Amino acid sequence: MEQGAGEDRGAAKGSGERESWEGRALRAGVPESDVSEWLSPRPPRSSRKRGLRLPSARRFLAVGLILTVVLAGFLIMALLVAIAPTPGGSAGGGTPQAGVIPLFVITGPGNGSHPRFDRPLAAAFDQKGRIYVSDTGNGRVCVFDRNGKFLFVFDGSKHKKGAGQGATKLALPAGIVVADNGEVYVADVQGGRVDVFDSEGNYLRRLPAITGGRSYAPTDVDVRARTVYVTDTFQVLLLRTNGEVVAHIGQAGEAPVDLDHPNGVAVAGSNVIYVSDSNHSQIKAFELSGKLRWVYGAASPNTSPPADTDPVLPRGLAVVRDGSVLFADAGAHRLIRLSAAGKFLAEYGSRGVKPGQFNFPNDVDAQGSRVLVTDKENNRVQVVELQDQSQEE
């Protein structure tokens, strides 16, 4: 009994102290709601709301800043993707450069074990506008449609049943031309031969690797009617399409008719042969008989080109639609156009990596207003127009 009474008095005392504290707080002017909140149990710490509470204006400013940073990041990524080198394929043109209007650039198939070209030496149009490229460093020929879309590749290992006798993979393909019947002739300078393929890359036959008791090193090739024109170390060979040698033009020496490592040949009509006499830094025009018509170059007795348009290292050449002659001057990173009489008409291009610029261009071909340039040291080919020719439709 006495113990129970003591407990009741203790409870009353505690209650009295609590009521006295509330009373003092209320008499001191503390609002009743605050007194009730102070007396209420506090929630556990983990249940309290956390975070930074900002006024509305500052929240809008913070969100805007975050969005600006994200957008800037996307723009930087897009710029890096745009300027990064592609693994191959084709790309559109650009701003005209020194008389050259770039249409598109091809850097390789864009797939496979070798998606990019490796120092291509030559390229040619076919009658439909398809583009055949001697991808020299990779030992193959790559084919694209007229817009630069990759179609297929061949290297001499594919042939139709019964037509593969003597087939050997291409070693160092250089000059290339597509005949009117669609056959593709490839000069293999290391293999010492000219291989012939159909338009789909199937091996057909080989022109002889031996001429006059010695091997030869063909660097370029052209075909007109049933005659094949092949540049060799010191001569141009004339062969039948079956490989029979019928004539040759040129020999080693320093006379006007002599040749030293010619690297380009193109035939106009049926009676004029244009030759890039590379080591003599000259362009020469011959008749089928071997008679020299004219020479273009600083050392020529017949022509006097402006000093700054002397050929430095002339390579591949082509006859354009107006009958003039266009050649790649690899040593000066430009193209030069001559009249059919061997007179200087114009020069195009400059050294660089932009579309329309060149770095040791090695070959040209022409079809209508389009010019195909093998831009060797830029590891690409370009399809361009020449500003003074593009309006002559």
Side-chain angles (χ1 to χ4, degrees), residues 6 73 99 114 133 138 142 152 157 172-173 198 206 216 249 279 324 362 391:
H114 300 289
V133 180
N138 290 319
C142 301
F152 59 91
S157 60
L172 204 66
D198 68 16
R206 173 172 301 157
Y216 72 132
I249 295 173
N279 283 12
S324 58
N362 199 77
Q391 297 177 354

Side-chain angles (χ1 to χ4, degrees), residues 151-390:
L151 298 177
F152 59 91
V153 62
F154 63 91
D155 61 5
S157 60
K158 184 178 71 169
H159 56 83
K160 292 183 177 179
K161 186 176 181 180
Q165 186 175 1
T168 306
K169 278 192 172 184
L170 294 169
L172 204 66
I176 187 170
V177 67
V178 183
D180 290 342
N181 65 359
E183 290 184 343
V184 184
Y185 290 72
V186 182
D188 190 336
V189 63
Q190 182 173 310
R193 63 184 189 267
V194 174
D195 286 343
V196 186
F197 304 85
D198 68 16
S199 60
E200 300 305 310
N202 295 298
Y203 174 86
L204 297 177
R205 63 186 181 277
R206 173 172 301 157
L207 303 189
I210 301 295
T211 62
R214 67 174 183 84
S215 61
Y216 72 132
T219 53
D220 199 15
V221 59
D222 198 9
V223 179
R224 286 295 180 272
R226 294 184 57 81
T227 304
V228 184
Y229 304 81
V230 183
T231 54
D232 189 15
T233 311
F234 299 106
Q235 63 183 338
V236 176
L237 295 168
L238 281 65
L239 305 90
R240 301 298 184 197
T241 53
N242 63 4
E244 176 189 358
V245 179
V246 296
H248 72 90
I249 295 173
Q251 61 184 7
E254 299 300 323
V257 296
D258 296 336
L259 300 173
D260 187 357
H261 290 80
N263 275 268
V265 61
V267 182
S270 60
N271 62 345
V272 181
I273 306 169
Y274 298 109
V275 181
S276 282
D277 189 3
S278 298
N279 283 12
H280 285 149
S281 298
Q282 295 175 331
I283 303 296
K284 297 178 177 179
F286 294 91
E287 297 180 359
L288 290 181
S289 64
K291 180 182 177 181
L292 183 66
R293 282 196 171 188
W294 51 258
V295 177
Y296 176 85
S300 166
N302 299 321
T303 60
S304 298
D308 60 351
T309 60
D310 289 353
V312 177
L313 186 64
R315 307 296 288 230
L317 40 71
V319 180
V320 299
R321 57 185 175 178
D322 65 356
S324 58
V325 183
L326 184 71
F327 69 91
D329 189 1
H333 316 287
R334 62 185 174 182
L335 311 180
I336 292 180
R337 188 164 62 91
L338 309 177
S339 72
K343 303 298 182 181
F344 173 82
L345 296 177
E347 65 174 319
Y348 314 89
S350 59
R351 189 173 193 178
V353 299
K354 296 178 180 179
Q357 294 182 319
F358 311 122
N359 193 13
F360 290 95
N362 199 77
D363 192 29
V364 293
D365 195 15
Q367 187 175 77
S369 64
R370 286 183 159 196
V371 174
L372 179 60
V373 183
T374 309
D375 193 5
K376 185 184 71 166
E377 294 301 325
N378 280 330
N379 294 306
R380 65 189 184 185
V381 297
Q382 300 192 58
V383 177
V384 305
E385 289 184 343
L386 307 179
Q387 283 189 321
D388 61 355
Q389 296 281 292
S390 62

Side-chain angles (χ1 to χ4, degrees), residues 3-25:
Q3 184 177 359
E7 289 177 355
D8 289 343
R9 286 193 299 270
K13 181 180 178 182
S15 174
E17 288 178 355
R18 175 177 179 177
E19 291 174 1
S20 176
W21 188 92
E22 289 177 346
R24 288 198 302 270

Side-chain angles (χ1 to χ4, degrees), residues 74-163:
F74 277 120
L75 290 175
I76 292 172
M77 290 178 62
L79 178 61
L80 291 175
V81 170
I83 65 175
T86 63
S90 63
T95 305
Q97 303 285 336
V100 178
I101 305 171
L103 300 181
F104 57 89
V105 172
I106 307 174
T107 57
N111 56 37
S113 58
H114 300 289
R116 295 180 64 89
F117 295 139
D118 182 4
R119 304 181 78 195
L121 284 179
F125 290 116
D126 74 0
Q127 298 301 310
K128 299 178 182 178
R130 291 202 301 185
I131 299 167
Y132 291 73
V133 180
S134 281
D135 186 10
T136 308
N138 290 319
R140 63 185 180 179
V141 173
C142 301
V143 186
F144 304 83
D145 70 12
R146 63 175 289 106
N147 298 314
K149 179 183 178 182
F150 174 66
L151 298 177
F152 59 91
V153 62
F154 63 91
D155 61 5
S157 60
K158 184 178 71 169
H159 56 83
K160 292 183 177 179
K161 186 176 181 180

